[in-house]
Amino acid sequence: MKMKNRKLLSLAMAAVMTGALLTGCGGKAAPADTNASAAPESAAPTAAASTGEKTALSYWHMMTGEPTGSIIQRSMDRFMADNPQYDMKVTQIANDAYKQKISIAMSSGTMPDLFVHWTGGPMIEYINSGHCLDITQYMDKDNYKDKYVDAGIAQATYNGKIYAVPIESAVIAGFFYDTRLFAKYKLEEPKTIADLEKLCDTLKADGIVPFALANATKWTGSMYYTYLATRFGGVEAFQDAASGKGSFKNEMFAFAGQKIQEWVNKGYFNEGYNGLDDDSGQARQLWYSGKAALHLMGTWLPSTVLDENPEFYKNLGFFAFPSLEGSTVDQTICLGTMGDNFTSISPSCKDPDGAFKAITYLLDDTALKERAAVGKINPVKSFEATDPLIKKIKASMDAAPNIQLWYDQYLPPEVAEVHKSTSQEIFGLTKTPEQADDEMQAAMDAYLKK
């Protein structure tokens, strides 16, 4: 990457961080939905080719679980009913398979007309490689962008232009638990990390695994790492390390790794976590069965629970990641994103007007009601929570001065992969925190030299 582009990347990353300031509601819907299935082979994009009198459009997304997959399909069905000149083909692709498939599509020139991503580093790379259409004119028309929370628009913006629409939930990560289990063992929601560790020790003594974790896909463990680093050092040191102004050889990252390994050695996580798959719900099954107490996950989880285990949802509790005693940074900062599964239009789309019109159906009045009914926090200014659990989640969002975008989405893709791998190795005790920090810094240096 040329020096000019490196500077643009640093500025864009800073804009994402600054833009995440919460003014009301902010944030991630399912980076890995449940009941994921492989994408059908017939799902190749049509690049808006004409089929008879209809214009063919294609849309790839990752929301393979229910009820979200059906909500998206119904939105596109309404679009086609109102605009019969279009034929929209919707393809659901499981999380990790999607990342590979979209990369192949970009390199082979077979992009769908509409596709999703999580902004941050990947979106910037997509833009710089010519795979995201500038949709500023559409978002500005009739001030359509004002419908969305400011933080969501900020995360979809690069170099002053808007390239995506925040579609899925405003999401943060936090701890979910079974209130019945807490009542049985007379447990209280921890306010500090010391409180959390005392709670874990109590659970261990009663034969309950404190943390349910399936970390084969690595991003699940990254949430622990990111929260611990953020509680210790805030957001600016990470931002500096990601832009090249600072370093990953920083005590905040060492602290995160050391604390994780301390918890691993204390037996706070279930056995075999690095080999378990979150997409198929292996951690949730431990949690549902009462064998594990706490599940650190994005707040797309209530929707997943409603689909998988509606009885369990009735006893679902939530608390924000606890604060670190003695830290001087703001302890209410949340990890998440403001409208996860942002939707973009490919520049290869032959009918961007129609493609953008289709996007508007994803959060029209009908879709907003359907999404709110299944526990999603819509990334729009008009959203009001009614469910007690969702109210509590939203209160944590509203209290946060900003939202730290997931490390694996903030960082450039190749550096993000090193982060996920090294954090998994920290969990596996196969790499020290210091070794992980050295490797991260080497990856960042190599990227910045491009």
Side-chain angles (χ1 to χ4, degrees):
M1 179 180 285
K2 303 275 192 237
M3 178 62 73
K4 178 180 179 181
N5 285 339
R6 286 215 309 268
K7 291 179 178 177
L8 286 174
L9 175 63
S10 299
L11 288 172
M13 291 302 189
V16 167
M17 179 65 71
T18 304
L21 294 174
L22 284 177
T23 58
C25 167
K28 181 175 185 169
D33 240 326
T34 58
N35 304 321
S37 58
E41 289 302 317
S42 61
T46 59
S50 292
T51 56
E53 295 182 358
K54 292 181 180 290
T55 297
L57 294 173
S58 53
Y59 180 33
W60 288 4
H61 69 81
M62 292 172 282
M63 308 304 290
T64 55
E66 291 300 334
T68 309
S70 293
I71 291 173
I72 291 173
Q73 185 61 58
R74 287 195 294 272
S75 294
M76 293 300 93
D77 289 343
R78 287 196 305 278
F79 163 69
M80 288 187 286
D82 292 346
N83 303 274
Q85 70 271 35
Y86 293 105
D87 181 20
M88 173 67 77
K89 183 176 182 59
V90 180
T91 301
Q92 300 180 3
I93 307 172
N95 177 66
D96 287 326
Y98 179 88
K99 296 174 184 176
Q100 298 174 3
K101 194 172 181 69
I102 200 69
S103 178
I104 292 171
M106 287 181 179
S107 62
S108 62
T110 56
M111 283 289 289
D113 299 296
L114 296 169
F115 67 101
V116 301
H117 53 78
W118 294 302
T119 71
M123 184 185 78
I124 293 170
E125 294 247 332
Y126 299 160
I127 294 167
N128 286 338
S129 60
H131 291 108
C132 275
L133 185 70
D134 174 5
I135 60 171
T136 307
Q137 61 174 322
Y138 298 110
M139 297 297 283
D140 284 344
K141 185 177 181 181
D142 300 323
N143 203 25
Y144 180 72
K145 68 182 178 184
D146 192 53
K147 174 177 183 172
Y148 299 89
V149 294
D150 293 341
I153 295 300
Q155 288 189 338
T157 300
Y158 172 57
N159 201 26
K161 298 178 180 179
I162 303 173
Y163 288 90
V165 183
I167 296 298
E168 292 303 328
S169 302
V171 175
I172 58 172
F175 278 110
F176 291 88
Y177 67 93
D178 186 341
T179 56
R180 295 170 298 183
L181 189 66
F182 268 47
K184 179 179 179 180
Y185 294 107
K186 296 180 172 58
L187 303 173
E188 295 183 357
E189 294 179 357
K191 302 299 183 185
T192 67
I193 288 177
D195 292 340
L196 178 64
E197 291 173 331
K198 290 178 183 177
L199 184 149
C200 290
D201 292 337
T202 299
L203 289 165
K204 280 277 295 175
D206 287 313
I208 309 257
V209 175
F211 301 135
L213 175 65
N215 198 33
T217 51
K218 306 175 187 177
W219 61 264
T220 45
S222 171
M223 290 190 291
Y224 282 92
Y225 182 93
T226 304
Y227 254 130
L228 288 166
T230 302
R231 289 290 181 261
F232 186 96
V235 298
E236 289 186 5
F238 168 72
Q239 183 180 354
D240 287 346
S243 68
K245 292 191 296 182
S247 172
F248 284 101
K249 298 179 182 181
N250 183 298
E251 58 182 345
M252 67 184 284
F253 305 117
F255 168 80
Q258 290 161 4
K259 182 58 70 174
I260 286 170
Q261 294 194 333
E262 178 185 329
W263 288 353
V264 168
N265 288 323
K266 286 184 176 181
Y268 286 178
F269 299 93
N270 49 277
E271 293 184 3
Y273 48 82
N274 267 354
L276 299 182
D277 174 48
D278 188 81
D279 283 2
S280 59
Q282 290 181 298
R284 292 191 299 279
Q285 292 309 316
L286 287 170
W287 185 47
Y288 292 152
S289 67
K291 295 178 181 178
L294 303 173
H295 194 26
L296 179 63
M297 190 50 58
T299 52
W300 58 84
L301 185 63
S303 180
T304 301
V305 175
L306 272 172
D307 176 53
E308 290 181 338
N309 196 335
E311 286 299 313
F312 192 87
Y313 183 88
K314 298 175 183 177
N315 301 288
L316 196 59
F318 171 86
F319 60 88
F321 199 95
S323 61
L324 176 63
E325 308 89 324
S327 176
T328 59
V329 302
D330 195 305
Q331 297 296 297
T332 62
I333 294 169
C334 291
L335 169 65
T337 186
M338 300 296 102
D340 185 53
N341 277 213
F342 288 68
T343 297
S344 289
I345 300 174
S346 170
S348 64
C349 178
K350 299 298 189 295
D351 192 339
D353 291 354
F356 187 81
K357 182 179 287 188
I359 292 175
T360 66
Y361 280 76
L362 293 168
L363 283 184
D364 62 8
D365 290 344
T366 300
L368 287 172
K369 291 177 182 177
E370 289 182 332
R371 290 167 178 274
V374 296
K376 289 182 176 291
I377 299 177
N378 297 316
V380 296
K381 294 175 180 176
S382 62
F383 177 81
E384 293 184 7
T386 56
D387 180 283
L389 176 66
I390 304 305
K391 282 184 176 181
K392 190 171 185 180
I393 291 170
K394 188 174 182 296
S396 291
M397 290 182 182
D398 292 345
N402 57 46
I403 301 294
Q404 168 64 64
L405 185 64
W406 324 88
Y407 278 10
D408 62 316
Q409 292 306 314
Y410 188 109
L411 293 165
E414 56 263 54
V415 183
E417 286 305 311
V418 174
H419 159 66
K420 289 192 294 183
S421 295
T422 55
S423 65
Q424 187 188 55
E425 289 181 283
I426 286 172
F427 271 94
L429 305 180
T430 56
K431 188 160 288 183
T432 67
E434 292 73 23
Q435 289 171 329
D437 294 346
D438 287 344
E439 194 168 330
M440 277 294 295
Q441 188 56 48
M444 196 73 239
D445 289 342
Y447 175 79
L448 292 173
K449 288 178 182 177
K450 287 184 178 182

